[in-house]
Structures are given as structure tokens and as C-alpha cells.
Amino acid sequence: MPVRYTAPTPDSLLPVAGVALGAAAARIKKWDRNDLLLVVCDPGTVAAGVFTRNRFAAAPVQVCREHLAAQAASGASLRALVVNAGNANAGTGASGLADARAECVAVARLVGCAPEEVLPYSTGVIMEPLPVGRIIDGLPAAQAAARADGWFDAASAIMTTDTVPKGASHRVVVDGVPITVTGIAKGAGMIHPDMATMLAFMATDAPIAAGVLASLVREVADVSFNGATVDGDTSTNDSFVLAATGYAPMAPITSPDDPRLPAMRTAIEACAVALAQAIVRDGEGATKFIAIRVEGGVDADECRRVAFGIAHSPLVKTAFFASDPNLGRIVCAIGNAAAPDTDVTKVSFWLDDVQVVERGGRAPTYREEDGQRVMRQDEITIRVALGRGAAAATVWTCDLSHDYVSINADYRS
């Protein structure tokens, strides 16, 4: 079960005007549950997204990039998303691309739009042919089920090894107008920036112009989904899209300098961070949630590099699983990831409130029993001070347990 994460309820996920979501069972992996999602957006909705940097980007990722570029160039709307669980449609070559495009054509016929106004998403087993016929056959049922309050069912439909659905909503008042942001995500393993086997769809009723939205999505991804890592493996399918329907009764935000944008960004970031942390808390086999904050770097990239060096070390992750304060493993990970010109006599780090290293050596106040106390917790913060500058960054990870191995050894069976 997830580490200190309470799954959303249907009532906790707020409808966003202009968005309807419907789930259906296409039996993509012969499981007896909904595994197909159709999201329908009203005309005028604009969207932007960020995607995996894996060179084997899945067919739906390639098509999404093409369609978002076409929407931006023509001023067309985002009218629908189609998402399937159980098959990634990755490593499938030309036939996989044809299947992803066929999905878009089928959705476009149902919704009454151009295929380029549809975005396809897939998650599941890689290098297996997509059963596109089952998906197309399931679309009418998904369309019939679509409703404004369908977010919870949508979150459930896109799960693979997730143990619970993941969703979040935030509402903020801007110039007297309430703005709603709601999102869902899935992801439990093969999670590492730039994102991974992670799908996230968020929507807001704020009227945000396409160019502003594109920049906003990149900024939000950097402080949320790109800070989440379970196992250091970047997958082929990771995708994050943000849609803005424009139904909120206010003038559109057309400039990044609009004074109303920071409040909206705060709400959107809060929703994205909640989803990113939920993914890590429900990491495959996770028993502990670990926040790693690195401060005092020359820039944020340096801080992130050190933080991920800690987060990706199997020795560090297994020590956390065992509640073993073998903290030399963290020292080693910092040293491996730090810049070559780092002066280790300026480096310190803490476990929660317990200082372990002070200016390059064991802190005089550190006691093994204090480290043990923190390591036994199911939620832990590592804070590292590099002593090189003013930048900082935070990433989130989990431990590496026996269950992680079992889940992934049995994934295709």
C-alpha cells in the first residue's frame, strides 16, 4: 500500500468546466476492469505537454508531439484524449504509429473533430502489438460513460501496477473569480525524469493562451514530475499534458507577465506536486517516502544531480528499506554525484533534524541511535548543504524492497 497516501474519493476531485471523462473495459490485458479512458474537451480548449526523452519514445508519444505541434500552428483545439492501460505501444515500429493514428481517427469520428485534435496515450508492456481493435471497439462505451465528474473512474482506468488511483484538485480565487485545477496520474515503477512510465493529465478552466500554457507546463514539470524517481529508469511513454478550457469568466492570460498568472501557477503546481508525490508514495514495493533536498549549489541542475545521485543508489535505497543507518552510503552517493571542484570540507547533511555530516566529517553531535530513530520512520527528509552557492532543488524517492523485485519479475505473467 502507498506510504502515507490517501487515495482520492469521487467527491474530492472537482469537475472542470468543459471536460468530460468516461472509462470502459476494452480487455487489453484480459483483466476484469476498466482499462480504456476517453476524455472529451469542449471546442476552444488549448493544451500543452511534455514527454519522455527516451530515444525509444512510444508511438503515442510521437503522435502526441505531432498533434500538439499541429494544434499550436493552426490554432486548433484539443478535443479529446484516449488512454489505454495494459499495453505501451512502444518499440512497435511503423505498425505502432499506424495503430496510434487509427485510435485518433476513431475518436475524431465519435467526437466530431479532426484527428490532429486528439491525443493518444498508452501504458503497459513494451514491444507488444497494440490490440487497437479492442480499443476502437471500446470507445462508444467510454463515450457513453463520459461525464464531468468522471475523474475518479478515469484515474482508476489508467492504473497498471498502481495500488490506488491518484488524483488531486485545487481551487484558487483570482480577481474574484474561482479557478479550478484537477488532475490524475498513474505510475508505480520505471519512474525517473524526465518522467517515466507516468501519465498525468491535468485540466483547468482558466483562460490561458497556448504560448503561455506551453511555458507553464515546462516550469510545472520541472518542480513536480521531474522531481519524482522510483528506480532511475526512464520509460518510453511518460507524458504530462495540461488543458485549459477557458470557461472561467475572466479575460484571457496572454502574457507571462500577467499579474494573475502567479496565483494560477501556484494552484497548478500544487496539484502537480501532489500527483508526483503520490506516484512515489505508491512506488512498486515502497515502504518509505524520502524527500531529498540539496541546497547551496551553483545552480539548480547541480543540486538535482546530487539529489538524484542519492535517490538512485541501490545501496542507499536498500539501507532505507532495512532502516539501517549505514550513512556512509549517502556520503558515497554525494561524492559520486558532486561536481569535480566540490570542496567536501564545506559539505554537510542531515536526516530530518539529525546532523550526520558537518563540513565534510562526522558531526560531533551525531549518535547512531539518532540515525536509527529517523531511519525507522516511513517518511524521511535528507537535507544536503553543498556550500557552493545559493541554488536548491528537491526530489522525491522511495526505498527498494523485496516486493519491488517480485513485482517486476512477475510483471508480464
Side-chain angles (χ1 to χ4, degrees):
M1 295 301 291
V3 181
R4 294 198 192 183
Y5 178 68
T6 301
T9 63
D11 293 340
S12 69
L13 299 178
L14 304 173
V16 175
V19 177
L21 309 93
R27 298 189 177 276
I28 294 165
K29 271 192 74 174
K30 299 182 181 178
W31 43 28
D32 189 21
R33 69 167 178 84
N34 290 342
D35 54 5
L36 176 64
L37 170 64
L38 179 65
V39 182
V40 181
C41 301
D42 284 358
T45 299
V46 297
V50 292
F51 302 91
T52 184
R53 294 182 185 176
N54 191 301
R55 297 301 184 269
F56 269 100
V61 168
Q62 297 179 55
V63 174
C64 278
R65 286 172 171 155
E66 292 172 3
H67 286 189
L68 282 172
Q71 291 171 28
S74 67
S77 300
L78 168 67
R79 292 300 315 282
L81 293 87
V82 56
V83 189
N84 74 268
N87 185 299
N89 193 12
T92 48
S95 63
L97 283 168
D99 289 341
R101 293 190 172 109
E103 290 180 81
C104 295
V105 170
V107 171
R109 288 174 180 159
L110 281 178
V111 174
C113 68
E116 292 76 18
E117 295 179 300
V118 181
L119 302 181
Y121 296 88
S122 297
T123 181
V125 178
I126 295 171
M127 292 191 69
E128 293 289 338
L130 184 74
V132 67
R134 296 181 195 172
I135 292 172
I136 292 173
D137 289 346
L139 285 173
Q143 184 187 38
R147 61 186 196 275
D149 62 350
W151 287 92
F152 180 84
D153 289 345
S156 300
I158 63 176
M159 293 166 56
T160 50
T161 58
D162 307 67
T163 65
V164 295
K166 300 168 181 68
S169 285
H170 284 266
R171 183 165 282 160
V172 62
V173 176
V174 179
D175 282 356
V177 177
I179 300 295
T180 302
V181 182
T182 295
I184 57 173
K186 66 79 50 185
M190 203 181 281
I191 299 296
H192 169 53
D194 291 303
M195 297 180 301
T197 307
M198 187 216 79
L199 303 182
F201 171 62
M202 291 172 52
T204 178
D205 54 4
I208 305 175
V212 177
L213 193 70
S215 297
L216 183 59
V217 163
R218 290 191 294 271
E219 294 167 4
V220 168
D222 280 343
V223 298
S224 58
F225 300 112
N226 283 342
T229 181
V230 168
D231 49 23
D233 270 334
T234 300
S235 183
T236 53
N237 291 62
D238 61 320
S239 306
F240 163 42
V241 64
L242 173 62
T245 66
Y247 271 92
M250 59 168 38
I253 293 176
T254 59
S255 167
D257 299 322
D258 192 301
R260 299 169 296 169
L261 187 58
M264 293 183 187
R265 179 188 288 113
T266 297
I268 292 168
E269 284 184 4
C271 188
V273 167
L275 293 173
Q277 291 191 1
I279 289 169
V280 174
R281 291 179 186 278
D282 194 29
E284 289 171 342
T287 70
K288 296 180 180 179
F289 175 82
I290 303 155
I292 305 170
R293 179 170 177 81
V294 178
E295 306 168 345
V298 172
D299 54 34
D301 285 343
E302 177 181 46
C303 295
R304 286 166 59 86
R305 187 167 58 250
V306 173
F308 282 125
I310 299 168
H312 294 159
S313 166
L315 292 177
V316 171
K317 295 170 81 70
T318 51
F320 275 104
F321 172 64
S323 301
D324 177 15
N326 186 356
L327 301 175
R329 292 180 174 183
I330 297 179
V331 171
C332 183
I334 294 171
N336 281 329
D341 60 344
T342 297
D343 182 351
V344 297
T345 66
K346 296 181 179 179
V347 176
S348 303
F349 88 81
W350 293 256
L351 287 177
D352 281 3
D353 60 341
V354 176
Q355 185 164 15
V356 179
V357 167
E358 181 179 357
R359 300 185 67 83
R362 178 174 173 139
T365 57
Y366 176 70
R367 299 183 305 164
E368 178 93 357
E369 53 266 37
D370 292 332
Q372 183 83 67
R373 168 178 57 81
V374 176
M375 293 288 278
R376 285 175 176 157
Q377 299 170 181
D378 59 7
E379 190 158 339
I380 300 164
T381 297
I382 299 171
R383 183 167 67 89
V384 179
L386 296 176
R388 289 167 50 81
T394 300
V395 306
W396 307 287
T397 193
C398 57
D399 57 340
L400 185 60
S401 72
H402 302 297
D403 284 348
Y404 176 88
V405 177
S406 297
I407 290 167
N408 283 282
D410 298 336
Y411 182 68
R412 296 203 309 161
S413 61

